[in-house]
Coordinates of all heavy atoms in Angstrom, one line a residue:
M10 N 50.7 -100.9 -61.9 CA 50.0 -100.7 -60.6 C 51.0 -101.0 -59.5 O 51.9 -101.8 -59.6 CB 48.9 -101.7 -60.5 CG 47.7 -101.5 -61.4 SD 46.3 -101.7 -60.5 CE 45.2 -100.6 -61.4
G11 N 50.8 -100.3 -58.4 CA 51.6 -100.4 -57.2 C 51.2 -101.6 -56.3 O 50.3 -102.3 -56.6
E12 N 51.9 -101.6 -55.2 CA 51.6 -102.7 -54.3 C 50.3 -102.4 -53.6 O 50.0 -101.2 -53.3 CB 52.8 -102.7 -53.2 CG 54.1 -103.2 -53.8 CD 54.1 -104.7 -54.0 OE1 53.6 -105.4 -53.2 OE2 54.7 -105.1 -55.0
P13 N 49.5 -103.4 -53.2 CA 48.3 -103.2 -52.4 C 48.7 -102.7 -51.0 O 49.7 -103.0 -50.5 CB 47.6 -104.5 -52.4 CG 48.7 -105.5 -52.7 CD 49.7 -104.8 -53.5
A14 N 47.8 -101.9 -50.5 CA 48.0 -101.3 -49.1 C 48.1 -102.5 -48.1 O 47.3 -103.4 -48.2 CB 46.9 -100.3 -48.8
K15 N 49.0 -102.3 -47.2 CA 49.1 -103.4 -46.2 C 48.0 -103.1 -45.1 O 47.8 -102.0 -44.6 CB 50.5 -103.2 -45.5 CG 50.7 -104.3 -44.4 CD 52.1 -104.0 -43.8 CE 52.2 -104.9 -42.6 NZ 53.4 -104.6 -41.8
A16 N 47.3 -104.2 -44.8 CA 46.3 -104.1 -43.8 C 47.0 -104.1 -42.4 O 47.9 -104.9 -42.1 CB 45.3 -105.3 -43.8
I17 N 46.6 -103.1 -41.6 CA 47.1 -103.1 -40.2 C 45.9 -103.1 -39.2 O 44.9 -102.6 -39.6 CB 48.0 -101.8 -40.0 CG1 47.2 -100.5 -40.2 CG2 49.2 -101.9 -40.8 CD1 48.0 -99.3 -39.8
P18 N 46.1 -103.6 -38.0 CA 45.1 -103.6 -37.0 C 44.7 -102.2 -36.7 O 45.5 -101.3 -36.7 CB 45.7 -104.3 -35.8 CG 46.9 -105.0 -36.3 CD 47.4 -104.3 -37.5
A19 N 43.4 -102.0 -36.4 CA 42.8 -100.7 -36.1 C 43.5 -100.1 -34.9 O 43.8 -98.9 -34.9 CB 41.3 -100.8 -35.9
W20 N 43.8 -100.9 -33.9 CA 44.5 -100.3 -32.7 C 45.9 -99.8 -33.0 O 46.3 -98.8 -32.4 CB 44.5 -101.3 -31.5 CG 45.3 -102.5 -31.8 CD1 44.9 -103.7 -32.3 CD2 46.7 -102.7 -31.6 NE1 45.9 -104.6 -32.4 CE2 47.1 -104.0 -32.0 CE3 47.7 -101.8 -31.2 CZ2 48.4 -104.5 -32.0 CZ3 49.0 -102.3 -31.1 CH2 49.3 -103.6 -31.5
E21 N 46.5 -100.4 -34.0 CA 47.8 -99.9 -34.4 C 47.7 -98.6 -35.2 O 48.5 -97.7 -35.1 CB 48.5 -101.0 -35.2 CG 50.0 -100.9 -35.2 CD 50.6 -102.1 -36.0 OE1 50.4 -103.3 -35.5 OE2 51.3 -101.9 -37.0
Y22 N 46.7 -98.5 -36.0 CA 46.4 -97.3 -36.8 C 46.2 -96.1 -35.9 O 46.6 -95.0 -36.2 CB 45.2 -97.5 -37.7 CG 44.8 -96.3 -38.5 CD1 45.5 -95.9 -39.6 CD2 43.7 -95.6 -38.1 CE1 45.1 -94.8 -40.3 CE2 43.3 -94.5 -38.9 CZ 44.0 -94.1 -40.0 OH 43.6 -93.0 -40.7
A23 N 45.6 -96.3 -34.7 CA 45.2 -95.3 -33.8 C 46.2 -95.3 -32.6 O 45.7 -95.0 -31.5 CB 43.8 -95.4 -33.4
S24 N 47.4 -95.6 -32.8 CA 48.4 -95.8 -31.7 C 48.6 -94.5 -30.9 O 49.0 -94.6 -29.7 CB 49.7 -96.4 -32.2 OG 50.3 -95.5 -33.1
D25 N 48.4 -93.4 -31.5 CA 48.6 -92.1 -30.8 C 47.4 -91.6 -30.1 O 47.4 -90.5 -29.5 CB 49.2 -91.1 -31.7 CG 48.3 -90.8 -32.9 OD1 47.4 -91.6 -33.2 OD2 48.5 -89.7 -33.5
V26 N 46.3 -92.3 -30.2 CA 45.0 -91.9 -29.6 C 45.0 -92.2 -28.1 O 45.3 -93.3 -27.6 CB 43.8 -92.6 -30.2 CG1 42.5 -92.3 -29.5 CG2 43.7 -92.2 -31.7
Q27 N 44.7 -91.2 -27.3 CA 44.6 -91.4 -25.8 C 43.1 -91.4 -25.4 O 42.3 -90.7 -26.0 CB 45.3 -90.2 -25.1 CG 46.7 -90.1 -25.4 CD 47.5 -91.2 -24.7 OE1 47.3 -91.5 -23.5 NE2 48.5 -91.8 -25.4
V28 N 42.8 -92.3 -24.5 CA 41.4 -92.4 -24.1 C 41.3 -92.2 -22.5 O 42.3 -92.5 -21.8 CB 40.7 -93.7 -24.4 CG1 40.6 -93.9 -25.9 CG2 41.5 -94.9 -23.8
Q29 N 40.2 -91.6 -22.1 CA 40.0 -91.5 -20.6 C 38.5 -91.9 -20.4 O 37.6 -91.5 -21.1 CB 40.2 -90.1 -20.1 CG 40.0 -90.0 -18.6 CD 40.3 -88.6 -18.1 OE1 40.9 -87.8 -18.8 NE2 40.0 -88.4 -16.9
F30 N 38.3 -92.8 -19.4 CA 36.9 -93.3 -19.2 C 36.8 -93.8 -17.7 O 37.9 -94.0 -17.1 CB 36.6 -94.4 -20.1 CG 37.4 -95.6 -20.0 CD1 37.0 -96.7 -19.3 CD2 38.6 -95.7 -20.7 CE1 37.8 -97.9 -19.2 CE2 39.4 -96.8 -20.6 CZ 39.0 -97.9 -19.8
V31 N 35.6 -93.9 -17.3 CA 35.3 -94.4 -15.9 C 34.8 -95.8 -16.2 O 33.8 -96.0 -16.8 CB 34.3 -93.5 -15.2 CG1 34.0 -94.1 -13.8 CG2 34.7 -92.1 -15.1
D32 N 35.6 -96.8 -15.7 CA 35.1 -98.2 -15.9 C 33.9 -98.6 -15.1 O 33.4 -97.8 -14.3 CB 36.3 -99.2 -15.7 CG 36.8 -99.3 -14.3 OD1 36.1 -98.8 -13.4 OD2 37.9 -99.9 -14.1
A33 N 33.4 -99.8 -15.3 CA 32.2 -100.3 -14.6 C 32.4 -100.3 -13.1 O 31.4 -100.2 -12.4 CB 31.9 -101.7 -15.1
D34 N 33.6 -100.3 -12.6 CA 33.9 -100.3 -11.1 C 34.0 -98.9 -10.6 O 34.3 -98.7 -9.4 CB 35.1 -101.2 -10.8 CG 35.0 -102.6 -11.2 OD1 33.8 -103.1 -11.1 OD2 36.0 -103.2 -11.6
G35 N 34.0 -97.9 -11.4 CA 34.1 -96.5 -11.0 C 35.5 -96.0 -11.0 O 35.7 -94.8 -10.6
A36 N 36.5 -96.7 -11.4 CA 37.9 -96.3 -11.5 C 38.1 -95.5 -12.8 O 37.7 -95.9 -13.9 CB 38.8 -97.4 -11.4
V37 N 38.8 -94.3 -12.7 CA 39.1 -93.5 -13.9 C 40.4 -94.2 -14.5 O 41.4 -94.4 -13.9 CB 39.4 -92.1 -13.5 CG1 39.9 -91.3 -14.7 CG2 38.2 -91.5 -12.8
R38 N 40.2 -94.4 -15.8 CA 41.3 -95.0 -16.6 C 41.8 -94.0 -17.6 O 41.0 -93.3 -18.2 CB 40.9 -96.3 -17.3 CG 40.3 -97.3 -16.4 CD 41.4 -98.0 -15.7 NE 40.8 -99.1 -14.9 CZ 41.3 -99.5 -13.8 NH1 42.4 -99.0 -13.3 NH2 40.7 -100.5 -13.1
F39 N 43.1 -93.9 -17.9 CA 43.6 -93.0 -18.9 C 44.9 -93.6 -19.5 O 45.7 -94.2 -18.8 CB 44.0 -91.6 -18.3 CG 44.6 -90.7 -19.3 CD1 43.8 -90.0 -20.2 CD2 46.0 -90.5 -19.4 CE1 44.4 -89.2 -21.2 CE2 46.6 -89.7 -20.3 CZ 45.8 -89.0 -21.2
G40 N 45.0 -93.6 -20.8 CA 46.1 -94.1 -21.5 C 45.9 -94.3 -22.9 O 44.9 -93.9 -23.5
P41 N 46.9 -95.0 -23.6 CA 46.7 -95.2 -25.1 C 45.6 -96.2 -25.4 O 45.3 -97.1 -24.6 CB 48.1 -95.8 -25.5 CG 48.7 -96.3 -24.2 CD 48.1 -95.5 -23.1
L42 N 44.9 -95.9 -26.5 CA 43.8 -96.8 -26.9 C 44.3 -98.2 -27.0 O 43.5 -99.2 -26.7 CB 43.2 -96.3 -28.2 CG 42.1 -97.1 -28.8 CD1 40.9 -97.2 -27.9 CD2 41.7 -96.5 -30.2
A43 N 45.5 -98.5 -27.5 CA 46.0 -99.8 -27.6 C 46.0 -100.6 -26.3 O 45.7 -101.8 -26.3 CB 47.4 -99.8 -28.2
R44 N 46.2 -99.9 -25.2 CA 46.1 -100.6 -23.9 C 44.7 -101.0 -23.5 O 44.5 -102.1 -22.9 CB 46.7 -99.7 -22.8 CG 46.6 -100.3 -21.4 CD 46.9 -99.4 -20.3 NE 48.2 -98.8 -20.4 CZ 48.6 -97.8 -19.6 NH1 47.7 -97.2 -18.8 NH2 49.8 -97.3 -19.7
Y45 N 43.7 -100.2 -23.9 CA 42.3 -100.5 -23.5 C 41.5 -101.0 -24.7 O 40.3 -100.9 -24.6 CB 41.7 -99.2 -22.9 CG 42.4 -98.8 -21.7 CD1 43.2 -97.6 -21.7 CD2 42.4 -99.5 -20.5 CE1 43.8 -97.2 -20.5 CE2 43.0 -99.1 -19.4 CZ 43.7 -98.0 -19.4 OH 44.4 -97.6 -18.2
W46 N 42.1 -101.5 -25.7 CA 41.4 -101.9 -26.9 C 40.3 -102.9 -26.6 O 39.2 -102.9 -27.2 CB 42.4 -102.5 -28.0 CG 41.7 -102.7 -29.3 CD1 41.4 -103.9 -29.8 CD2 41.3 -101.7 -30.2 NE1 40.8 -103.8 -31.0 CE2 40.7 -102.4 -31.3 CE3 41.3 -100.4 -30.3 CZ2 40.2 -101.8 -32.4 CZ3 40.8 -99.7 -31.4 CH2 40.3 -100.4 -32.4
G47 N 40.6 -103.8 -25.7 CA 39.6 -104.9 -25.4 C 38.6 -104.5 -24.4 O 37.7 -105.3 -24.0
E48 N 38.6 -103.3 -23.9 CA 37.7 -102.8 -22.8 C 36.3 -102.7 -23.4 O 36.1 -102.3 -24.5 CB 38.2 -101.5 -22.3 CG 37.4 -101.0 -21.1 CD 37.7 -101.7 -19.9 OE1 38.9 -102.2 -19.7 OE2 36.8 -101.8 -19.0
S49 N 35.3 -103.1 -22.6 CA 33.9 -102.9 -23.0 C 33.4 -101.5 -22.7 O 32.9 -101.2 -21.6 CB 33.0 -103.9 -22.3 OG 33.4 -105.2 -22.6
F50 N 33.7 -100.5 -23.6 CA 33.3 -99.1 -23.3 C 31.8 -98.9 -23.1 O 31.4 -97.9 -22.5 CB 33.9 -98.3 -24.4 CG 35.4 -98.2 -24.4 CD1 36.1 -98.7 -25.5 CD2 36.0 -97.6 -23.4 CE1 37.5 -98.6 -25.5 CE2 37.4 -97.5 -23.4 CZ 38.1 -98.0 -24.5
E51 N 31.0 -99.8 -23.7 CA 29.6 -99.6 -23.6 C 29.1 -99.7 -22.1 O 28.0 -99.3 -21.8 CB 28.8 -100.6 -24.5 CG 29.0 -102.0 -24.1 CD 30.2 -102.7 -24.9 OE1 31.1 -102.0 -25.3 OE2 30.1 -103.9 -25.0
F52 N 29.9 -100.3 -21.2 CA 29.5 -100.4 -19.9 C 30.2 -99.4 -19.0 O 30.1 -99.4 -17.7 CB 29.8 -101.8 -19.3 CG 29.1 -102.9 -20.1 CD1 29.7 -103.8 -20.9 CD2 27.7 -102.9 -19.9 CE1 29.0 -104.8 -21.5 CE2 26.9 -103.9 -20.6 CZ 27.6 -104.8 -21.4
S53 N 31.0 -98.5 -19.6 CA 31.6 -97.4 -18.9 C 30.6 -96.3 -18.5 O 29.6 -96.1 -19.1 CB 32.7 -96.7 -19.7 OG 33.6 -97.7 -20.1
S54 N 30.9 -95.6 -17.4 CA 30.1 -94.5 -17.0 C 30.4 -93.2 -17.9 O 31.5 -93.1 -18.4 CB 30.4 -94.1 -15.6 OG 30.1 -95.2 -14.7
P55 N 29.5 -92.3 -18.1 CA 29.8 -91.1 -18.8 C 30.9 -90.3 -18.1 O 30.9 -90.2 -16.9 CB 28.4 -90.3 -18.8 CG 27.4 -91.3 -18.4 CD 28.1 -92.4 -17.6
A56 N 31.7 -89.7 -18.9 CA 32.9 -88.9 -18.4 C 32.4 -87.6 -17.9 O 33.0 -87.0 -17.0 CB 33.9 -88.7 -19.5
R57 N 31.3 -87.1 -18.4 CA 30.7 -85.8 -17.9 C 29.2 -85.8 -18.1 O 28.7 -86.6 -18.8 CB 31.4 -84.6 -18.6 CG 31.1 -84.7 -20.1 CD 31.9 -83.5 -20.8 NE 31.7 -83.5 -22.2 CZ 32.3 -84.3 -23.1 NH1 33.1 -85.2 -22.7 NH2 32.0 -84.3 -24.4
K58 N 28.5 -84.9 -17.5 CA 27.1 -84.8 -17.7 C 26.8 -84.1 -19.0 O 27.5 -83.2 -19.4 CB 26.5 -84.0 -16.5 CG 26.6 -84.7 -15.2 CD 26.0 -83.9 -14.1 CE 26.2 -84.6 -12.8 NZ 25.1 -85.2 -12.1
F59 N 25.6 -84.4 -19.6 CA 25.2 -83.8 -20.8 C 24.2 -82.7 -20.3 O 23.1 -82.9 -19.8 CB 24.5 -84.7 -21.7 CG 25.3 -85.9 -22.1 CD1 24.9 -87.2 -21.9 CD2 26.5 -85.6 -22.8 CE1 25.7 -88.2 -22.4 CE2 27.3 -86.6 -23.2 CZ 27.0 -88.0 -23.0
T60 N 24.6 -81.4 -20.4 CA 23.8 -80.3 -19.9 C 22.8 -79.8 -21.0 O 23.1 -80.0 -22.2 CB 24.7 -79.1 -19.5 OG1 25.5 -78.7 -20.6 CG2 25.6 -79.5 -18.4
A61 N 21.8 -79.2 -20.6 CA 20.8 -78.6 -21.5 C 20.4 -77.3 -20.9 O 20.3 -77.1 -19.7 CB 19.6 -79.5 -21.6
F62 N 20.2 -76.3 -21.8 CA 19.8 -75.0 -21.4 C 19.0 -74.3 -22.5 O 19.1 -74.7 -23.7 CB 21.0 -74.1 -21.0 CG 22.1 -74.1 -22.1 CD1 22.1 -73.1 -23.1 CD2 23.1 -75.0 -22.1 CE1 23.1 -73.1 -24.0 CE2 24.1 -75.0 -23.0 CZ 24.1 -74.0 -24.0
K63 N 18.3 -73.3 -22.2 CA 17.5 -72.6 -23.1 C 18.4 -71.9 -24.2 O 19.4 -71.3 -23.9 CB 16.6 -71.5 -22.4 CG 15.6 -70.8 -23.3 CD 14.8 -69.9 -22.5 CE 13.7 -69.2 -23.4 NZ 12.8 -68.4 -22.7
G64 N 18.0 -72.1 -25.5 CA 18.8 -71.5 -26.5 C 19.9 -72.4 -27.0 O 20.7 -72.0 -27.9
Q65 N 20.0 -73.6 -26.5 CA 21.1 -74.5 -26.9 C 21.0 -74.9 -28.3 O 19.9 -75.1 -28.8 CB 21.0 -75.7 -26.0 CG 22.1 -76.7 -26.1 CD 22.1 -77.8 -25.1 OE1 21.7 -77.5 -23.9 NE2 22.6 -78.9 -25.4
K66 N 22.1 -74.9 -29.1 CA 22.1 -75.3 -30.5 C 22.1 -76.8 -30.8 O 21.7 -77.2 -31.9 CB 23.3 -74.6 -31.2 CG 23.4 -73.2 -31.0 CD 22.3 -72.4 -31.8 CE 22.5 -70.9 -31.6 NZ 21.3 -70.2 -31.8
N67 N 22.5 -77.6 -29.8 CA 22.5 -79.0 -30.0 C 21.4 -79.6 -29.1 O 20.9 -79.0 -28.2 CB 23.9 -79.6 -29.8 CG 24.4 -79.4 -28.4 OD1 24.1 -78.3 -27.8 ND2 25.1 -80.4 -27.8
F68 N 21.1 -80.9 -29.4 CA 20.1 -81.6 -28.6 C 20.7 -82.8 -27.9 O 21.1 -83.7 -28.6 CB 19.0 -82.0 -29.6 CG 18.3 -80.9 -30.3 CD1 18.7 -80.5 -31.5 CD2 17.3 -80.2 -29.6 CE1 18.1 -79.5 -32.2 CE2 16.7 -79.1 -30.3 CZ 17.1 -78.7 -31.5
T69 N 20.7 -82.8 -26.6 CA 21.2 -83.9 -25.8 C 20.1 -84.8 -25.4 O 18.9 -84.4 -25.4 CB 22.0 -83.4 -24.5 OG1 21.0 -82.7 -23.8 CG2 23.1 -82.4 -24.9
G70 N 20.5 -86.0 -25.0 CA 19.5 -86.9 -24.6 C 20.0 -88.3 -24.3 O 21.2 -88.5 -24.3
D71 N 19.2 -89.3 -24.2 CA 19.5 -90.7 -24.0 C 18.7 -91.5 -25.1 O 17.6 -91.2 -25.4 CB 19.1 -91.2 -22.6 CG 19.9 -90.5 -21.5 OD1 21.1 -90.3 -21.7 OD2 19.2 -90.1 -20.5
C72 N 19.4 -92.5 -25.6 CA 18.7 -93.5 -26.4 C 19.0 -94.9 -26.0 O 20.1 -95.1 -25.3 CB 19.1 -93.3 -27.9 SG 20.8 -93.5 -28.3
W73 N 18.1 -95.8 -26.3 CA 18.3 -97.2 -25.9 C 19.3 -97.9 -26.8 O 19.3 -97.8 -28.0 CB 16.9 -97.9 -25.9 CG 17.0 -99.3 -25.5 CD1 17.0 -100.4 -26.3 CD2 17.2 -99.8 -24.2 NE1 17.1 -101.6 -25.5 CE2 17.2 -101.2 -24.2 CE3 17.2 -99.2 -22.9 CZ2 17.3 -102.0 -23.1 CZ3 17.4 -100.0 -21.8 CH2 17.4 -101.4 -21.9
A74 N 20.2 -98.6 -26.1 CA 21.2 -99.4 -26.9 C 20.9 -100.9 -26.6 O 21.0 -101.3 -25.4 CB 22.6 -99.1 -26.4
A75 N 20.6 -101.7 -27.6 CA 20.2 -103.0 -27.4 C 21.4 -103.9 -27.0 O 21.3 -104.9 -26.3 CB 19.6 -103.6 -28.7
T76 N 22.6 -103.5 -27.5 CA 23.8 -104.3 -27.3 C 24.2 -104.3 -25.8 O 24.7 -105.3 -25.3 CB 25.0 -103.9 -28.1 OG1 25.2 -102.5 -28.0 CG2 24.8 -104.2 -29.6
S77 N 24.0 -103.1 -25.1 CA 24.4 -103.1 -23.7 C 23.1 -103.1 -22.8 O 23.2 -103.2 -21.6 CB 25.1 -101.8 -23.4 OG 24.3 -100.6 -23.7
R78 N 22.0 -103.1 -23.5 CA 20.7 -103.1 -22.7 C 20.6 -102.0 -21.7 O 20.3 -102.2 -20.5 CB 20.4 -104.5 -22.1 CG 20.3 -105.6 -23.1 CD 19.9 -106.9 -22.6 NE 19.8 -107.8 -23.6 CZ 19.7 -109.1 -23.5 NH1 19.8 -109.7 -22.3 NH2 19.6 -109.9 -24.5
S79 N 21.0 -100.8 -22.1 CA 21.0 -99.7 -21.3 C 20.8 -98.4 -22.1 O 20.9 -98.4 -23.3 CB 22.3 -99.6 -20.5 OG 23.4 -99.3 -21.3
L80 N 20.5 -97.3 -21.4 CA 20.5 -96.0 -22.0 C 21.8 -95.4 -22.3 O 22.7 -95.6 -21.4 CB 19.7 -95.0 -21.2 CG 18.2 -95.3 -21.1 CD1 17.5 -94.3 -20.1 CD2 17.5 -95.1 -22.4
V81 N 22.1 -94.9 -23.4 CA 23.4 -94.3 -23.8 C 23.1 -92.8 -24.1 O 22.2 -92.4 -24.9 CB 23.9 -95.0 -25.1 CG1 25.2 -94.3 -25.5 CG2 24.2 -96.4 -24.8
G82 N 23.9 -91.9 -23.5 CA 23.8 -90.5 -23.6 C 24.4 -90.0 -24.9 O 25.4 -90.6 -25.4
Y83 N 23.8 -89.0 -25.5 CA 24.4 -88.3 -26.7 C 24.4 -86.8 -26.5 O 23.5 -86.3 -25.8 CB 23.7 -88.8 -28.0 CG 22.2 -88.5 -28.0 CD1 21.7 -87.3 -28.4 CD2 21.3 -89.5 -27.6 CE1 20.4 -87.0 -28.5 CE2 20.0 -89.2 -27.6 CZ 19.5 -88.0 -28.0 OH 18.2 -87.7 -28.1
E84 N 25.3 -86.1 -27.2 CA 25.4 -84.7 -27.1 C 24.8 -84.0 -28.3 O 24.7 -82.8 -28.3 CB 26.8 -84.2 -26.9 CG 27.3 -84.7 -25.5 CD 28.7 -84.2 -25.3 OE1 29.6 -84.7 -26.0 OE2 28.9 -83.3 -24.4
S85 N 24.5 -84.7 -29.4 CA 24.0 -84.1 -30.6 C 23.2 -85.2 -31.4 O 23.4 -86.4 -31.1 CB 25.1 -83.5 -31.5 OG 25.8 -84.6 -32.0
W86 N 22.4 -84.8 -32.3 CA 21.6 -85.7 -33.1 C 22.6 -86.5 -34.0 O 22.3 -87.6 -34.4 CB 20.5 -85.0 -33.9 CG 19.3 -84.7 -33.0 CD1 19.1 -85.1 -31.7 CD2 18.2 -83.9 -33.4 NE1 17.9 -84.6 -31.3 CE2 17.3 -83.9 -32.3 CE3 17.8 -83.3 -34.6 CZ2 16.1 -83.2 -32.3 CZ3 16.6 -82.6 -34.6 CH2 15.8 -82.6 -33.5
V87 N 23.7 -85.8 -34.4 CA 24.7 -86.5 -35.3 C 25.3 -87.7 -34.5 O 25.4 -88.8 -35.0 CB 25.8 -85.5 -35.7 CG1 26.9 -86.3 -36.4 CG2 25.2 -84.5 -36.6
E88 N 25.6 -87.5 -33.2 CA 26.2 -88.5 -32.4 C 25.1 -89.6 -32.2 O 25.4 -90.8 -32.2 CB 26.6 -87.9 -31.1 CG 27.4 -88.8 -30.2 CD 27.9 -88.1 -29.0 OE1 27.2 -88.1 -27.9 OE2 29.0 -87.5 -29.0
R89 N 23.9 -89.2 -31.9 CA 22.8 -90.2 -31.7 C 22.6 -91.1 -33.0 O 22.5 -92.3 -32.9 CB 21.5 -89.5 -31.4 CG 20.3 -90.4 -31.2 CD 19.0 -89.8 -31.5 NE 18.9 -89.3 -32.9 CZ 18.0 -88.5 -33.3 NH1 17.0 -88.1 -32.5 NH2 18.0 -88.1 -34.6
D90 N 22.6 -90.4 -34.2 CA 22.5 -91.2 -35.4 C 23.6 -92.1 -35.7 O 23.5 -93.2 -36.1 CB 22.3 -90.2 -36.6 CG 21.0 -89.4 -36.5 OD1 20.1 -89.8 -35.7 OD2 20.8 -88.4 -37.2
A91 N 24.9 -91.7 -35.4 CA 26.0 -92.5 -35.5 C 26.0 -93.7 -34.6 O 26.3 -94.9 -35.0 CB 27.3 -91.8 -35.3
D92 N 25.5 -93.5 -33.4 CA 25.3 -94.7 -32.4 C 24.3 -95.6 -33.0 O 24.4 -96.8 -32.8 CB 24.9 -94.1 -31.1 CG 26.0 -93.5 -30.3 OD1 27.2 -93.6 -30.7 OD2 25.7 -92.8 -29.3
S93 N 23.2 -95.1 -33.6 CA 22.1 -95.9 -34.1 C 22.6 -96.8 -35.2 O 22.3 -98.0 -35.3 CB 20.9 -95.1 -34.6 OG 20.4 -94.4 -33.5
V94 N 23.4 -96.2 -36.1 CA 24.0 -97.0 -37.2 C 25.0 -98.1 -36.7 O 24.9 -99.2 -37.1 CB 24.8 -96.1 -38.2 CG1 25.6 -96.9 -39.2 CG2 23.8 -95.1 -38.9
A95 N 25.8 -97.7 -35.7 CA 26.7 -98.7 -35.1 C 25.9 -99.9 -34.4 O 26.2 -101.0 -34.6 CB 27.6 -98.1 -34.0
E96 N 24.8 -99.5 -33.8 CA 23.9 -100.5 -33.2 C 23.4 -101.5 -34.2 O 23.3 -102.7 -34.1 CB 22.7 -99.9 -32.5 CG 22.7 -99.5 -31.1 CD 22.9 -100.7 -30.1 OE1 22.1 -101.6 -30.1 OE2 23.9 -100.7 -29.4
F97 N 22.9 -100.9 -35.4 CA 22.3 -101.7 -36.4 C 23.4 -102.6 -37.0 O 23.1 -103.8 -37.2 CB 21.8 -100.7 -37.5 CG 21.3 -101.5 -38.7 CD1 20.0 -102.1 -38.7 CD2 22.0 -101.6 -39.9 CE1 19.6 -102.8 -39.8 CE2 21.6 -102.2 -41.0 CZ 20.3 -102.8 -41.0
V98 N 24.6 -102.1 -37.3 CA 25.7 -103.0 -37.8 C 26.0 -104.1 -36.9 O 26.1 -105.3 -37.3 CB 26.9 -102.1 -38.1 CG1 28.1 -103.0 -38.5 CG2 26.6 -101.1 -39.2
V99 N 26.1 -103.8 -35.6 CA 26.5 -104.9 -34.6 C 25.3 -105.9 -34.6 O 25.6 -107.1 -34.6 CB 26.7 -104.2 -33.2 CG1 26.8 -105.3 -32.2 CG2 28.0 -103.4 -33.2
S100 N 24.1 -105.4 -34.5 CA 23.0 -106.4 -34.5 C 22.9 -107.3 -35.7 O 22.5 -108.4 -35.6 CB 21.6 -105.6 -34.2 OG 21.3 -104.9 -35.4
R101 N 23.2 -106.7 -36.9 CA 23.2 -107.5 -38.1 C 24.3 -108.6 -38.1 O 24.1 -109.7 -38.5 CB 23.4 -106.6 -39.3 CG 22.3 -105.6 -39.5 CD 21.0 -106.2 -40.0 NE 21.2 -106.8 -41.3 CZ 20.4 -107.5 -41.9 NH1 19.2 -107.8 -41.4 NH2 20.6 -108.0 -43.1
R102 N 25.5 -108.2 -37.5 CA 26.6 -109.2 -37.4 C 26.3 -110.3 -36.4 O 26.5 -111.5 -36.7 CB 27.9 -108.5 -37.0 CG 28.5 -107.7 -38.1 CD 29.8 -107.2 -37.6 NE 30.3 -106.3 -38.7 CZ 31.3 -105.4 -38.5 NH1 31.8 -105.3 -37.3 NH2 31.7 -104.7 -39.5
V103 N 25.6 -109.9 -35.3 CA 25.3 -110.9 -34.3 C 24.2 -111.9 -34.8 O 24.2 -113.1 -34.6 CB 24.9 -110.2 -33.0 CG1 24.3 -111.2 -32.0 CG2 26.0 -109.5 -32.4
G104 N 23.2 -111.3 -35.5 CA 22.1 -112.0 -36.0 C 22.4 -113.0 -37.2 O 21.6 -113.9 -37.4
S105 N 23.5 -112.7 -37.9 CA 23.7 -113.6 -39.0 C 24.6 -114.8 -38.7 O 25.0 -115.0 -37.7 CB 24.4 -112.7 -40.1 OG 25.6 -112.2 -39.6

């Protein structure tokens, strides 16, 4: 058997990922994820509006997020479901 895989921090794994967001104070931030790893993205403003129109193939909307105690926008049901799972996981960790 070979050597076990070395565990690396998630921010290091995604070192080439760039993020752009509007922080809680309304300032636009852009840069590597490693720089903003500790940022509370759940309190950021949406980067763009979620549009809806007749004949649209995806379903946009808002769902309640207990961790931020606010509505969170989603652009598809897949995104909404992923957010719901993340909410569940976080609430289980906090509650235990």
Side-chain angles (χ1 to χ4, degrees):
M10 295 225 150
E12 293 285 320
K15 180 183 172 192
I17 59 172
W20 63 266
E21 206 174 299
Y22 177 74
S24 61
D25 60 339
V26 173
Q27 298 289 315
V28 295
Q29 180 174 352
F30 62 98
V31 179
D32 68 12
D34 297 327
V37 176
R38 306 281 185 211
F39 177 78
L42 179 58
R44 179 191 300 168
Y45 298 112
W46 188 254
E48 188 73 31
S49 297
F50 291 113
E51 63 270 20
F52 298 113
S53 301
S54 299
R57 61 186 181 279
K58 294 183 186 247
F59 301 125
T60 59
F62 53 88
K63 188 175 181 176
Q65 186 171 329
K66 302 291 183 202
N67 60 324
F68 299 96
T69 61
D71 295 316
C72 61
W73 181 256
T76 52
S77 63
R78 296 183 178 167
S79 64
L80 290 172
V81 175
Y83 59 87
E84 293 182 293
S85 70
W86 284 352
V87 172
E88 192 174 89
R89 179 204 59 190
D90 293 348
D92 288 346
S93 296
V94 169
E96 267 298 301
F97 177 77
V98 170
V99 168
S100 68
R101 298 289 292 172
R102 286 186 185 163
V103 171
S105 57

